Amino acid sequence: LTNLFIVNFYIIQAQILYMFGEFDRNGKLCTIVIEETQSFVVVQPPLKVLEDSIEYIGSDFKGSLAGARKNTGKSRMCPVMVNYILNICLFPDRGYKSNHCIWINSNYIRNTKPLDRRTIIEFSNGSSLIVNSRLSAFREKIHTAAQHRKMNYERGKNPISFVLDSKKRPLRKRE
């Protein structure tokens, strides 16, 4: 936390590579944000940064998480659509309630490689990160996040509209 500049508030931007929680010298949980060209500390926990960023576009974290669970069929470690307008979808490397959870933007992952039972992530800007996840499990998370992001993007481009006619009775199954 010593060589990074500090901000009090942050809305997740399209150029984010990843972010994670880190305790400062006073024991306060802060967020380290790594973007393509800069890194800094946000004086808020990662979940607060996520919540604020999702609320900024008129949604909420719980709704985004519920939508991800429904769309992906996953109940744990779901990707979260942070900003459907900018097509930002982050996924956690572990349970999102963990203070050490890393939220990763798959848009910038160039390659992944195994390292024992961990995974080396190579980003498009040349930087890398090692996560405590087997390569196959990590690649599955990338795939799930990509599917979720694509589904949200397509739904945004082609919204479905329908009208309910209260005069019609629901269809009943014939016996």
Side-chain angles (χ1 to χ4, degrees):
L1 298 180
T2 54
N3 294 330
L4 301 174
F5 68 92
I6 298 171
V7 297
N8 292 320
F9 182 78
Y10 174 69
I11 297 296
I12 294 171
Q13 302 297 305
Q15 59 270 22
I16 190 170
L17 301 179
Y18 60 95
M19 67 179 195
F20 60 94
E22 184 77 34
F23 290 96
D24 69 9
R25 64 176 170 249
N26 299 317
K28 180 178 179 172
L29 183 59
C30 298
T31 303
I32 307 292
V33 174
I34 310 297
E35 291 184 342
E36 281 186 288
T37 59
Q38 64 181 352
S39 303
F40 49 91
V41 178
V42 183
V43 190
Q44 295 179 327
L47 281 180
K48 179 71 171 139
V49 172
L50 271 172
E51 289 168 355
D52 288 348
S53 298
I54 294 169
E55 287 174 3
Y56 184 75
I57 59 154
S59 191
D60 72 335
F61 179 74
K62 287 183 180 180
S64 188
L65 190 59
R69 286 179 174 156
K70 186 169 186 167
N71 289 343
T72 64
K74 307 259 183 208
S75 60
R76 297 179 49 237
M77 293 187 269
C78 290
V80 175
M81 215 53 208
V82 177
N83 187 318
Y84 56 88
I85 299 163
L86 298 176
N87 210 19
I88 304 169
C89 180
L90 302 183
F91 67 93
D93 76 320
R94 65 190 74 192
Y96 74 89
K97 291 181 181 177
S98 168
N99 292 335
H100 303 290
C101 177
I102 303 170
W103 288 91
I104 303 164
N105 184 351
S106 63
N107 285 340
Y108 293 99
I109 295 176
R110 182 175 54 200
N111 196 15
T112 54
K113 297 178 188 174
L115 178 67
D116 301 319
R117 294 180 174 195
R118 299 177 295 168
T119 298
I120 301 172
I121 307 165
E122 295 175 355
F123 292 97
S124 57
N125 70 347
S127 67
S128 60
L129 172 69
I130 298 173
V131 293
N132 291 321
S133 180
R134 290 179 190 256
L135 182 62
S136 58
F138 189 77
R139 285 184 174 166
E140 177 63 27
K141 290 176 190 175
I142 294 170
H143 178 72
T144 301
Q147 280 185 311
H148 183 58
R149 185 177 56 249
K150 183 179 179 185
M151 185 181 299
N152 276 280
Y153 178 73
E154 293 298 323
R155 285 179 178 171
K157 281 184 7 183
N158 303 304
I160 298 170
S161 62
F162 59 92
V163 177
L164 294 177
D165 186 348
S166 62
K167 295 176 187 171
K168 292 190 177 184
R169 294 181 186 201
L171 294 175
R172 291 184 185 211
K173 185 177 175 182
R174 291 184 179 177
E175 296 180 21

